[in-house]
Amino acid sequence: MSQPTSIGGRPPAPAPGMPAPPELRIARFRPHAHRLFWSAVVLIAVCGATGWLWGNVPRPFENWMLVAAASVIVLLLVLLPFVSWWSHLYTITTRRVMERRGIVRVRRRELEHVRGYTVHLRRGPLQRMWGTGTLTLSNGVEAQMKLRNVPMAVLVHETLVDQVEVSQILAHRDAASIPIAAPPA
C-alpha cells in the first residue's frame, strides 16, 4: 500500500475533531502451512504407488479401481485439509482484527483495537523453528481470540500492540476534545 507515513511508519494522526481516516488493511494472512506437510507426503506416495501399480494389479481388479482408490485417498487426505487451511484467514486493519473460517458455514470474529485488549504470544520449540506462534487476544469481556500458528508471530504481536496503543491514544484525545455543554438554566 502506498500512503503517506510519519515517524515510525504510522499514518499521520488526524487533527482533533476531524473525522476518522478510512480503515486500512495492515496485514492479511493464513495460518502457517506446515500442517500441510503430511498431505504433501500422502500426495507423493499415492502418485508413486499409482504409477508403480498401473498395469500390474491382480486380475480381478482393474486400473480404474486403482484410480478410484487413489482419488478417494487424495480427496480425503490432501484436498480437504488444503481447503480447510485455505478457508482460514486472519485480517488486521487499522481499526480491528478479524478471523474468518469455514467454507459452507462461514464463522467470523472481530475484535476492535479501540476497546483495548491484551496480546499474549506463546511459542513452542517447533513454532520457534518455523517462526510461528500462537497469539491470544483478550479484552476481559468477550471470549479470547486465538490466532494459531501465525507466521512471523513476533512482528504480528508488535503490530497488534502498536495498533491498540494508537487507537487508545486517539480515542482518549478525541474524548477530551469534545466540549461539555453547560446544563440548561
Side-chain angles (χ1 to χ4, degrees):
M1 285 196 241
S2 64
Q3 60 184 359
T5 59
S6 63
I7 298 173
R10 293 181 182 163
M18 295 298 293
E23 183 174 21
L24 301 174
R25 183 174 64 201
I26 296 171
R28 178 181 281 172
F29 53 90
R30 290 180 169 76
H32 196 271
H34 72 269
R35 69 181 253 197
L36 298 175
F37 172 78
W38 290 111
S39 295
V41 170
V42 167
L43 180 63
I44 293 168
V46 166
C47 290
T50 303
W52 185 71
L53 290 173
W54 189 264
N56 294 327
V57 291
R59 198 51 157 151
F61 302 104
E62 295 190 24
N63 287 334
W64 69 267
M65 292 180 178
L66 178 66
V67 171
S71 299
V72 168
I73 292 172
V74 167
L75 175 71
L76 294 177
L77 299 178
V78 177
L79 194 58
L80 289 180
F82 175 77
V83 170
S84 172
W85 170 80
W86 187 262
S87 68
H88 195 169
L89 186 67
Y90 299 116
T91 305
I92 300 173
T93 69
T94 53
R95 293 188 187 158
R96 57 194 164 165
V97 178
M98 295 173 281
E99 176 185 21
R100 181 184 178 277
R101 64 182 340 166
I103 301 163
V104 176
R105 192 181 114 211
V106 177
R107 293 178 304 206
R108 184 176 164 155
R109 289 192 59 199
E110 294 183 6
L111 193 59
E112 294 182 358
H113 301 311
V114 76
R115 294 204 44 184
Y117 53 84
T118 59
V119 183
H120 178 69
L121 173 63
R122 187 181 57 81
R123 299 174 75 193
L126 288 176
Q127 286 180 323
R128 289 177 201 267
M129 186 173 69
W130 291 318
T132 65
T134 299
L135 292 169
T136 305
L137 312 178
S138 174
N139 65 0
V141 177
E142 301 169 7
Q144 294 180 342
M145 179 185 284
K146 286 197 176 196
L147 285 63
R148 291 183 173 86
N149 292 318
V150 173
M152 296 186 289
V154 174
L155 180 62
V156 173
H157 178 267
E158 291 173 1
T159 302
L160 288 173
V161 169
D162 189 42
Q163 286 301 311
V164 169
E165 179 184 354
V166 168
S167 293
Q168 292 290 310
I169 289 171
L170 291 175
H172 287 290
R173 186 193 69 187
D174 289 343
S177 68
I178 298 173
I180 300 175

